[in-house]
Amino acid sequence: MKEKFFSANKSCCRILAILLMLVCLTGMALPVFGAAPKLSATAAILIDGNTGNILFEKNPDKIMYPASTTKIMTALVALEAVDRGEISLEQPLVMSQTAFDSQDIDGSGISLDVGEEMKLKNLLEGLLIASGNDAASVIAEGVSGTESAFVEKMNQRAGELGLSNTHFVNPHGLHHKDHYTTARDMAMLAREAMKNETFRSIVECAHIYLPPTNMSEKRYFINTNNLVSRMRYADYFYEYATGIKTGTTSEAGNCLVASAESGEKYIISVIFDAEEISVSHNESRDLLSHGLNDFKSQRLAKRDDIFGEVKVKQALDGTDHILLSAEKNLDSLFPKDGDPKKVEVKTEIPEKVYAPISSGQVIGKAIFTYEGNKVGEVNLVSTVEIKRHFLGFLMSFGEWLWSLAVIRYTVYIILGVALGFVFVLVAGFVRALKKTKRKKRRNTRYRPPRY
């Protein structure tokens, strides 16, 4: 009987192990919260655009070719150069012979010719709406002098954003084995780009007229992202869509980075390597619908809610602790059928801080999780202003000295020797006192007279 029982258990274990292996090998989609649509695309992700929290993922860290979704980074680098005052949106840029010769005859473009001038803002429209590879090359040269120098900035920015599995070789996304990213990285990049108002205003346009140039009449383009336009494939249109960018090569498949908004909800999806344009659009729409329909906006923290306290050192008024509150209101997408009471909060607060401290200074953070999934994070700030003690620099120096092991051991040794010396002195004093008392007793002892 026992043998049959153990044999059955072993069979169950084998079956479970096989099933787990099949899940890993097939790259099964793993929804972070509840049910989610079934996807055929190789990699996908859905995030809360406000917080960056992941709502759904399928092979989020698998290395993929991004195709023209690369142009999200191209536009971001260019627009950040505008924000820094390095170039203007009104600056006319010229199509050089070098840029013209670098174009792939089968690649998408806006038909720029050698010597043609176009303002940066119009090139960005041609880049993001018509997916112009030629616009990407002109922007790269106009912003950085050469395409290679611009690509260096793209990779530098990727590093700053923490896109650890991303590397660019060109500004347009034509295939190269060393030009790659992941769904997770692309979602993070898209979230950053959508913070730029100019970028956001372009990618939500259904179509665009580019004004005449020195070599051409005005041009008209329909957005390659059919989620925001009914003009090419009306069936793919999604009323809540607000962007962002398509990409297609034979190696990358059909890719689509999309976004949608409804009320306070704002979400971003990424689909990589879908078989057809219809698949990339339909599965993006399914993901976006999942985010908008199956989640609700939940307030996890209100501004000024107290989440803890921290020890203060070197305060002028002798304050030894201060309270820490939420820096701002925190709203996060939360499963509609979820129980907010099950949200857990973990605080990350240092053991101590040093004056001076300004009111509103960020000191720690509170992290909110639900069923093991991160659903939000908010900075914790000081509720008061604390001035530093005028002897603070001496206190700091003393603390620094005490942090040195050699100083601590030296002090311990000196104290030990001093205590030993005091002990010897006290012991000697006690012995001398006792001896004096004995002498005094002998001298005062009664002796009878002799006759």
Side-chain angles (χ1 to χ4, degrees):
M1 194 67 179
K2 285 183 179 180
E3 288 178 359
K4 289 182 178 179
F5 175 77
F6 287 121
S7 176
N9 272 350
K10 286 180 181 178
S11 298
C12 289
C13 289
R14 288 194 192 100
I15 292 170
L16 286 172
I18 291 169
L19 288 173
L20 286 172
M21 287 177 66
L22 287 173
V23 167
C24 295
L25 290 173
T26 57
M28 186 177 291
L30 299 175
V32 177
F33 295 114
K38 294 181 180 180
L39 305 179
S40 63
T42 301
I45 197 167
L46 177 69
I47 68 169
D48 181 343
N50 291 313
T51 65
N53 296 332
I54 298 173
L55 309 178
F56 171 92
E57 59 185 20
K58 176 184 178 182
N59 295 326
D61 298 311
K62 182 178 176 62
I63 297 298
M64 305 296 295
Y65 297 125
S68 284
T69 62
T70 296
K71 291 163 184 165
I72 296 173
M73 178 62 91
T74 303
L76 178 63
V77 171
L79 287 168
E80 288 180 339
V82 171
D83 293 340
R84 292 191 298 269
E86 297 171 6
I87 193 170
S88 165
L89 286 172
E90 298 298 318
Q91 173 71 40
L93 303 179
V94 182
M95 180 67 159
S96 70
Q97 186 68 53
T98 302
F100 184 82
D101 292 341
S102 70
Q103 300 306 301
D104 189 315
I105 192 170
D106 295 324
S108 57
I110 58 173
S111 302
L112 293 173
D113 206 350
V114 177
E116 186 168 3
E117 294 182 2
M118 185 176 286
K119 291 180 180 180
L120 175 58
K121 67 177 182 180
N122 301 127
L123 287 166
L124 287 168
E125 292 167 341
L127 176 83
L128 296 171
I129 294 176
S131 199
N133 294 341
D134 45 2
S137 296
V138 174
I139 290 170
E141 287 189 351
V143 172
S144 299
T146 65
E147 190 171 294
S148 59
F150 186 84
V151 171
E152 285 183 18
K153 290 184 179 180
M154 293 171 67
N155 286 315
Q156 179 183 345
R157 193 69 180 99
E160 293 168 354
L161 292 172
L163 312 184
S164 56
N165 293 312
T166 294
H167 184 263
F168 298 109
V169 174
N170 58 61
H172 38 66
L174 287 177
H175 180 70
H176 190 286
K177 63 182 179 63
D178 294 325
H179 190 100
Y180 55 81
T181 188
T182 65
R184 187 191 305 276
D185 282 4
M186 184 55 70
M188 293 168 62
L189 170 58
R191 180 171 176 249
E192 184 67 22
M194 289 292 276
K195 294 176 184 178
N196 187 289
E197 290 184 9
T198 302
F199 180 93
R200 198 162 183 156
S201 67
I202 294 174
V203 298
E204 67 182 2
C205 290
H207 59 106
I208 192 72
Y209 280 98
L210 297 180
T213 68
N214 61 323
M215 298 179 67
S216 174
E217 298 298 321
K218 67 179 180 181
R219 299 171 169 93
Y220 175 74
F221 295 101
I222 298 172
N223 200 323
T224 59
N225 177 8
N226 299 288
L227 294 179
V228 299
S229 172
R230 288 189 174 95
M231 297 177 178
R232 187 178 282 111
Y233 301 107
D235 290 343
Y236 302 153
F237 179 76
Y238 185 55
E239 61 180 319
Y240 301 110
T242 56
I244 300 175
K245 186 71 191 75
T246 59
T248 305
T249 64
S250 56
E251 296 84 0
N254 292 276
C255 308
L256 178 53
V257 181
S259 62
E261 290 185 50
S262 178
E264 297 178 346
K265 301 175 187 177
Y266 163 44
I267 52 179
I268 295 172
S269 67
V270 177
I271 291 287
F272 274 155
D273 190 25
E275 289 186 2
E276 304 288 344
I277 291 178
S278 59
V279 175
S280 65
H281 281 74
N282 287 331
E283 294 193 352
S284 292
R285 188 173 55 190
D286 289 345
L287 266 184
L288 296 173
S289 296
H290 171 57
L292 295 182
N293 296 333
D294 298 335
F295 292 82
K296 61 183 177 181
S297 183
Q298 177 73 36
R299 177 148 294 180
L300 301 179
K302 290 188 292 186
R303 187 175 180 227
D304 297 331
D305 280 352
I306 302 299
F307 281 89
E309 62 180 11
V310 65
K311 184 188 295 183
V312 177
K313 305 198 76 174
Q314 301 179 11
L316 178 62
D317 60 0
T319 300
D320 59 357
H321 284 81
I322 58 172
L323 297 176
L324 301 179
S325 67
E327 181 181 34
K328 59 183 179 180
N329 293 339
L330 175 63
D331 297 308
S332 179
L333 290 184
F334 191 80
K336 273 189 175 179
D337 57 354
D339 183 1
K341 293 180 181 179
K342 293 182 179 180
V343 174
E344 297 180 354
V345 184
K346 176 185 176 183
T347 58
E348 293 184 1
I349 299 173
E351 182 182 345
K352 58 189 175 183
V353 292
Y354 293 85
I357 298 168
S358 59
S359 179
Q361 179 178 326
V362 177
I363 292 176
K365 62 182 177 180
I367 300 170
F368 300 81
T369 58
Y370 178 75
E371 295 182 347
N373 300 303
K374 179 180 174 182
V375 292
E377 178 181 309
V378 67
N379 287 332
L380 300 182
V381 299
S382 169
T383 56
V384 294
E385 180 179 359
I386 303 293
K387 294 183 179 179
R388 190 185 189 193
H389 196 283
F390 64 92
L391 294 178
F393 69 97
L394 288 178
M395 298 176 184
S396 294
F397 181 69
E399 241 184 280
W400 174 76
L401 280 178
W402 189 247
S403 69
L404 302 175
V406 63
I407 297 296
R408 292 200 305 274
Y409 294 147
T410 300
V411 170
Y412 293 149
I413 292 170
I414 291 173
L415 285 175
V417 171
L419 287 173
F421 182 70
V422 169
F423 177 78
V424 170
L425 284 178
V426 170
F429 176 76
V430 170
R431 284 198 301 270
L433 187 61
K434 287 181 179 179
K435 187 175 181 181
T436 301
K437 286 183 178 179
R438 284 198 298 270
K439 275 186 178 183
K440 190 178 286 187
R441 282 198 297 271
R442 284 198 299 269
N443 291 336
T444 57
R445 191 177 297 164
Y446 173 75
R447 293 180 182 180
R450 294 182 180 180
Y451 296 97

